[in-house]
Amino acid sequence: MKKRIIIGNWKMNPRTLEEAKNIYKSTKTVADKLKSVSVVMCPPFVYTSTLLNSRTETTVKIGSQDAYFEEQGSYTGEISPVMLKDLGVEYAIIGHSERRSKGETDEMISKKVALCLEVGIIPILCIGEKVRDEGGSHLDFIKDQVKNSLNKVPKKNISKLIIAYEPIWAIGAKEAMMPESIYEMSLFIKKVLSDMYGHDEGISTPILYGGSVNFRNALDIFNKGKIDGLLVGRESVNITGFVELLKTVDTI
Ligand code: PEP
């Protein structure tokens, strides 16, 4: 059975290493018992080493919230995918809307995705429109975003890619997107990928949904949205809520 992927984006939380260890430990205890869900936690980079070193046998993977597009050099403050790989990090969120809003472009994102894939880090490419109108312009926007973000990725490297569809208006909001619309978008993204890389590649690329997911709406999102996984923001650092979400999804 193909496992559902649940990725926790901790964003800039929590405030202390002790709290980070607590969230990690509590989540891991539950995550290790799940049958149909695989869990990736993306803490702030400063906590990564400690969490990786505290790992005993576990199925939980660690991801970063970004990765730079050069392997090494004079790039103050940046962290390269090669360094992440060396540390034991397996995934990297790339192109999150909170980074795009600070000036990250599709061109930078395409280089980041390509380098991650080359060095063996699984990129979780975030895409999503800011607004929607009745004319459906968001579809062209998403198509361009996918094409531009992947224009440096050859077909041979595409099998490791994960895409997280996160409409910006649904991030940090009260309500998630309607599951029926999530389904529509996931099919649309798979079609764009199929046109770029071929049918099999398009169909097999996991498409995740992100935006105000919690344990109350997760089941509906999976059942009606028919997605391959979730990218969870705020709820991923709420121990009780996240653990409940994982258990709920494991019942599907
Ligand atoms: C996110 O930041 O990727 C996200 C989905 O946030 P939230 O779940 O808090 O809306």
Side-chain angles (χ1 to χ4, degrees):
M1 179 179 50
K2 210 171 153 202
K3 287 192 172 188
R4 297 182 174 86
I5 310 163
I6 303 214
I7 299 177
N9 173 16
W10 291 14
K11 310 194 187 212
M12 201 171 72
N13 298 297
R15 282 170 180 265
T16 67
L17 178 60
E18 267 326 291
E19 288 173 85
K21 286 201 269 189
N22 233 336
I23 298 169
Y24 177 78
K25 203 171 149 212
S26 311
T27 308
K28 177 182 164 311
T29 306
V30 172
D32 281 339
K33 296 191 192 107
L34 304 176
K35 290 183 191 69
S36 63
V37 177
S38 65
V39 180
V40 181
M41 291 190 223
C42 302
F45 184 69
V46 285
Y47 301 142
T48 308
S49 276
T50 309
L51 300 185
L52 280 166
N53 291 336
S54 71
R55 281 150 62 99
T56 44
E57 274 298 292
T58 181
T59 53
V60 175
K61 312 285 187 201
I62 294 284
S64 81
Q65 296 178 13
D66 187 30
Y68 199 55
F69 51 73
E70 297 287 349
E71 295 193 17
Q72 68 175 97
S74 304
Y75 306 104
T76 305
E78 302 291 357
I79 296 155
S80 103
V82 176
M83 296 168 182
L84 293 170
K85 176 92 184 157
D86 182 55
L87 219 54
V89 172
E90 293 175 65
Y91 293 75
I93 296 173
I94 301 291
H96 192 279
S97 59
E98 286 157 12
R99 298 196 59 83
R100 289 179 189 261
S101 70
K102 301 272 180 303
E104 194 162 280
T105 61
D106 280 350
E107 172 65 12
M108 291 156 78
I109 289 162
S110 71
K111 291 200 252 177
K112 290 181 175 192
V113 172
L115 185 57
C116 279
L117 287 167
E118 260 167 49
V119 306
I121 294 280
I122 300 175
I124 304 146
L125 168 65
C126 297
I127 54 169
E129 77 280 359
K130 269 201 194 96
V131 285
R132 289 191 159 205
D133 58 33
E134 285 176 4
S137 61
H138 61 281
L139 295 176
D140 283 337
F141 180 86
I142 293 296
K143 190 200 280 183
D144 286 349
Q145 232 180 15
V146 173
K147 286 189 166 173
N148 295 339
S149 307
L150 296 178
N151 66 12
K152 293 179 180 55
V153 178
K155 186 169 176 169
K156 70 175 172 54
N157 285 350
I158 201 72
S159 67
K160 293 286 182 208
L161 175 78
I162 294 175
I163 292 193
Y165 170 64
E166 300 204 299
I168 298 176
W169 48 269
I171 296 180
K174 283 207 181 104
E175 305 273 344
M177 189 181 195
M178 296 287 290
E180 292 78 3
S181 310
I182 295 174
Y183 183 38
E184 199 178 278
M185 289 312 292
S186 126
L187 288 177
F188 179 75
I189 295 163
K190 284 186 193 264
K191 169 78 172 73
V192 174
L193 291 169
S194 300
D195 291 345
M196 290 173 75
Y197 292 103
H199 176 265
D200 292 354
E201 286 74 7
I203 294 299
S204 54
T205 303
I207 310 294
L208 278 44
Y209 167 78
S212 302
V213 176
N214 53 48
F215 70 89
R216 288 178 204 89
N217 60 20
L219 213 52
D220 219 26
I221 291 177
F222 271 109
N223 286 338
K224 296 188 192 147
K226 302 188 199 313
I227 26 95
D228 302 302
L230 298 169
L231 178 48
V232 184
R234 290 158 297 164
E235 189 83 332
S236 68
V237 284
N238 165 15
I239 299 175
T240 330
F242 195 57
V243 158
E244 198 56 37
L245 185 154
L246 295 178
K247 286 185 188 162
T248 305
V249 175
D250 202 47
T251 62
I252 303 174

